[in-house]
Amino acid sequence: MGDYRRLWHFVARYRFAFAVSLGAAAMASVLDGLSLVLLIPLFRLLFGASTPVAAEGPPVEQALGQLLAFTLPDRAGVTVGGVVLVILGVIVIKNIAAFGAGALSHYVQEAVSRDLRMTLHRHVHRLDLASLGTMRTGQLLSRLLTDADQAKGIVSEALVTALRHVAVVVVYVGLLLGLSWRFALVTLIIAPLVAVGLRPLLGGIRARARGVLDERGEMMAIATESVEGMRSVKAYGGERQESRRFGAAADRYFRGMVRVQSLSAVASPVSETLGAIVLVLLLLLATTMPGLTLRPELFVAFATLSLRLLPPVKRLAQFPTQAEVALAAARRIFEVLDRPTEGDGDTARAVPFRGLGEAIEFRDVWVRYEDGDWVLRGVDLRVQAGEVVAVVGRSGAGKSTLADLLPRFVSADRGAVVLDGRRIEAYDRTTLRRGIGIVDQHPTIFNDTVRANIAYGDMAGVDDAAVVEAAIAANAHDFILRLARGYDTVLGERGTRLSGGERQRIAIARAVLKNPSILILDEATAHLDAEAERLVQDALVRISTDRTVLVIAHRLATVAMADVIVVLDEGRVVERGRHEELVAGRGVYSQLHALLADPARKPQVVGNFERSV
């Protein structure tokens, strides 16, 4: 019931449309039953009776007589044409009500699906990076796109269609009892067998529905990986391997869906068989049991109502199956929504970050991801405001993790990060990130214009002059003007229309426009050729003035100009000092410098540094 209540929270936002939909569905059900029992006076008049209803007929027939007398006040009496007009009028109004119920129902469904997607999307953006790292992209996309569509089925099947069928059953049962309570008992005894006969099937469907959704997510994850890594797939001849991986996942999803659909398909023949049994029993009773006979027109109406009663009963019997599939999708969404967000640990007394005034301090900081090994081990480091500090070390030494502590992408498991004498947790997370600029080796370029990519997020809407000024500072203005539409050029997905150096300079311009007091440069010149590196390096030097800068790099030319160089090894600070001091020593940095100064020497295990061109 907890999942139903959580879904109802989304439906409740549209309670008026939902209520009107239910009201219109109930009206359509009543009018549908009325159109069927109106066959009684029609058949009587067609078969030559002088009156549309019998004087001693059942209660339903007497009510029909009053209805016809009210709708057709003709002194000459009720005619076949008049009854036909009433039937047509009832059918028209019924279909208008049914259309309104369906339209409003679909509106509520799609609104719930949209709200689920938007809620999940917002929540994902509030998750910390460590939590996001445990989820595969394809599985997340499957929840965001497919599961949100599946979950909306609970609105149509459980909350609208099911209730509409309940209204149909109630109306039809009332009419059957009004025609012949004895015959109605037979129908009411047999009809529930539809639900009882189908119930054993539901357990297997419930067990498999969740597994099928997981397999679909896995299939989407594999497809996403292979498309995003297409260059590597082609470069290493992995087409067959990826085809096998995707084919295996698609086959598992196919077999799971076949099992679920096969179990669901059994419901229809079972219910049809039970319906035939009901009709045969009614015929036997009508022809063999004394005292249970009905006039022909009453029997036709009763049999028609009985058969029309079975489909809604069947749908109600199938409801648990369809609802379970929708709930399985909803549970996968709720699993993500239940993950704690970045702000869960924040206090209401958080102070705004107004820029670094004194220093950044890492005090005995320990960090690890999930239950893995420690990435940082007792790091003690002080960065004075206005200093340029370079962090170097082997791949996996903890350089990026150290930088990620400042914007609170990760949190220290032990120790503390202190800014201007306050623990970093005391600062408002939003204003803290506004005061930090980040340029990494794989900058994110969105499928939007150059202007929108530079003036992104908090900077959206700034005037064009500020955007151009930032681009000039980043050495990006000249190549932007050479693009087809200048600053209005759409850069394509991931900035595929730009070179690596051009993407970096767009990211630098974004950081310049932000005007942060703390700047993090994470391998910002990696994988660039000499000319691109020179342009990017020149831009980085320009924007580093009067800012506190944390540089993560493995090219010595990038770090040699730093005020302080910190060497990390296996998560620990093993050396610190200026370039000249560290070269003069006999530590890791000195060995590295000597190796790169003489490329002919035999390589040693000194990290992932590269000789700068």
Side-chain angles (χ1 to χ4, degrees):
M1 291 300 294
D3 294 322
Y4 279 109
R5 283 195 295 269
R6 295 184 72 172
L7 278 173
W8 173 250
H9 171 73
F10 289 91
V11 179
R13 303 172 187 176
Y14 309 98
R15 58 175 64 89
F16 177 76
F18 177 68
V20 174
S21 173
L22 289 182
M27 179 185 293
S29 301
V30 172
L31 294 175
D32 185 55
L34 179 60
S35 67
L36 293 176
V37 295
L38 279 170
L39 294 175
I40 296 172
L42 179 63
F43 286 154
R44 280 183 59 83
L45 294 174
L46 286 174
F47 294 150
S50 58
T51 59
V53 297
E56 301 296 330
V60 169
E61 191 173 16
Q62 299 305 310
L64 288 175
Q66 295 178 7
L67 174 66
L68 291 175
F70 176 76
T71 55
L72 299 171
D74 189 350
R75 294 180 181 178
V78 178
T79 64
V80 171
V83 175
V84 169
L85 287 176
V86 172
I87 293 175
L88 288 176
V90 169
I91 291 175
V92 169
I93 298 174
K94 179 203 78 171
N95 283 296
I96 292 174
F99 167 76
L104 287 173
S105 171
H106 288 301
Y107 167 77
V108 175
Q109 289 178 59
E110 294 305 323
V112 168
S113 179
R114 178 200 61 192
D115 290 353
L116 280 170
R117 282 197 185 97
M118 293 176 65
T119 301
L120 180 59
H121 189 265
R122 284 194 298 266
H123 189 82
V124 166
H125 281 81
R126 295 174 59 211
L127 294 175
D128 61 65
L129 295 181
S131 181
L132 277 174
T134 63
M135 299 185 63
R136 300 184 69 185
T137 303
Q139 287 283 4
L140 188 57
L141 290 176
S142 178
R143 285 165 166 81
L144 189 64
L145 302 177
T146 309
D147 290 347
D149 266 336
Q150 288 274 40
K152 77 181 180 185
I154 201 70
V155 179
S156 61
E157 297 301 333
L159 301 178
V160 177
T161 303
L163 292 176
R164 183 171 70 243
H165 288 313
V166 168
V168 170
V169 170
V170 170
V171 171
Y172 282 15
V173 168
L175 291 174
L176 290 174
L177 290 171
L179 287 173
S180 173
W181 66 268
R182 295 180 178 84
F183 276 100
L185 285 179
V186 177
T187 303
L188 295 179
I189 291 172
I190 298 297
L193 293 178
V194 175
V196 176
L198 296 176
R199 197 164 185 80
L201 303 174
L202 304 181
I205 294 174
R206 291 192 189 101
R208 289 176 172 83
R210 173 59 189 264
V212 168
L213 293 174
D214 288 338
E215 291 297 347
R216 179 167 53 197
E218 180 65 16
M219 183 172 61
M220 186 174 290
I222 292 173
T224 302
E225 288 175 353
S226 62
V227 171
E228 290 182 346
M230 189 61 71
R231 290 174 63 89
S232 296
V233 171
K234 291 183 177 296
Y236 289 92
E239 292 90 346
R240 290 184 180 179
Q241 180 179 347
E242 292 303 316
S243 179
R244 285 195 298 270
R245 288 179 66 213
F246 184 79
D251 187 60
R252 289 194 298 271
Y253 176 67
F254 159 74
R255 285 186 271 111
M257 281 299 297
V258 168
R259 286 193 293 268
V260 172
Q261 296 295 345
S262 297
L263 287 174
S264 300
V266 175
S268 181
V270 170
S271 61
E272 293 294 336
T273 301
L274 292 173
I277 293 173
V278 171
L279 182 59
V280 169
L281 287 175
L282 291 175
L283 287 172
L284 288 174
L285 289 172
T287 56
T288 61
M289 296 294 290
L292 291 180
T293 57
L294 287 175
R295 298 197 315 272
E297 66 272 18
L298 293 179
F299 181 80
V300 170
F302 192 96
T304 303
L305 283 170
S306 298
L307 293 179
R308 290 286 294 271
L309 177 64
L310 291 177
V313 172
K314 179 182 71 175
R315 292 296 298 273
L316 288 174
Q318 291 175 331
F319 153 68
T321 303
Q322 296 160 330
E324 191 61 32
V325 173
L327 283 176
R331 289 186 191 110
R332 281 166 48 88
I333 294 174
F334 294 148
E335 282 178 1
V336 181
L337 293 179
D338 289 338
R339 292 194 174 209
T341 62
E342 288 183 320
D344 288 348
D346 291 351
T347 65
R349 294 177 295 178
V351 298
F353 180 70
R354 305 189 185 283
L356 188 69
E358 298 176 9
I360 302 169
E361 296 177 79
F362 298 89
R363 299 177 181 175
D364 191 28
V365 172
W366 294 69
V367 177
R368 67 177 171 186
Y369 297 103
E370 296 295 328
D371 295 324
D373 293 334
W374 291 103
V375 181
L376 295 180
R377 305 165 184 264
V379 172
D380 286 298
L381 178 63
R382 180 181 176 87
V383 179
Q384 289 295 133
E387 272 190 332
V388 177
V389 175
V391 182
V392 298
R394 295 181 176 88
S395 178
K399 305 184 298 296
S400 294
T401 299
L402 183 70
D404 285 346
L405 286 165
L406 293 179
R408 297 183 65 186
F409 293 156
V410 298
S411 299
D413 295 283
R414 300 181 193 170
V417 181
V418 178
L419 276 62
D420 292 344
R422 280 196 178 97
R423 291 177 66 101
I424 198 168
E425 292 82 7
Y427 289 102
D428 172 69
R429 195 186 302 262
T430 301
T431 57
L432 175 67
R433 290 177 178 171
R434 284 175 183 165
I436 299 174
I438 301 174
V439 181
D440 57 32
Q441 61 178 316
H442 300 297
T444 300
I445 303 298
F446 299 94
N447 187 24
D448 208 333
T449 64
V450 174
R451 179 180 291 101
N453 268 280
I454 295 175
Y456 179 73
D458 293 331
M459 294 87 69
V462 301
D463 59 83
D464 292 347
V467 174
V468 172
E469 184 178 347
I472 292 173
N475 282 340
H477 181 66
D478 291 341
F479 87 78
I480 292 173
L481 292 181
R482 291 194 296 269
L483 296 175
R485 300 185 61 189
Y487 283 85
D488 293 318
T489 303
V490 176
L491 296 179
E493 188 175 4
R494 300 186 187 90
T496 52
R497 298 183 181 183
L498 303 178
S499 67
E502 290 169 342
R503 287 195 293 271
Q504 286 288 30
R505 282 178 277 167
I506 293 291
I508 293 171
R510 187 185 295 161
V512 171
L513 188 62
K514 192 176 187 181
N515 192 28
S517 66
I518 300 173
L519 185 63
I520 298 173
L521 307 177
D522 190 354
E523 307 281 17
T525 59
H527 313 308
L528 300 182
D529 58 40
E531 178 60 20
E533 182 186 7
R534 183 188 65 79
L535 292 169
V536 171
Q537 191 73 36
D538 179 60
L540 292 177
V541 170
R542 187 180 301 125
I543 70 171
S544 298
T545 305
D546 299 326
R547 289 186 174 89
T548 306
V549 184
L550 194 66
V551 182
I552 298 171
H554 59 258
R555 294 191 176 186
L556 294 186
T558 304
V559 303
M561 296 178 292
D563 299 319
V564 179
I565 298 173
V566 176
V567 183
L568 283 180
D569 188 33
E570 295 185 353
R572 293 185 174 88
V573 176
V574 295
E575 291 182 279
R576 73 183 72 194
R578 296 183 63 83
H579 173 71
E580 296 80 6
E581 298 169 354
L582 295 178
V583 169
R586 296 186 177 182
V588 174
Y589 192 87
S590 176
Q591 295 174 17
L592 175 67
H593 183 270
L595 175 67
L596 296 183
D598 183 7
R601 292 177 61 184
K602 185 177 180 179
Q604 302 175 21
V605 181
V606 292
N608 63 336
F609 297 93
E610 294 181 3
R611 182 182 179 87
S612 180
V613 180

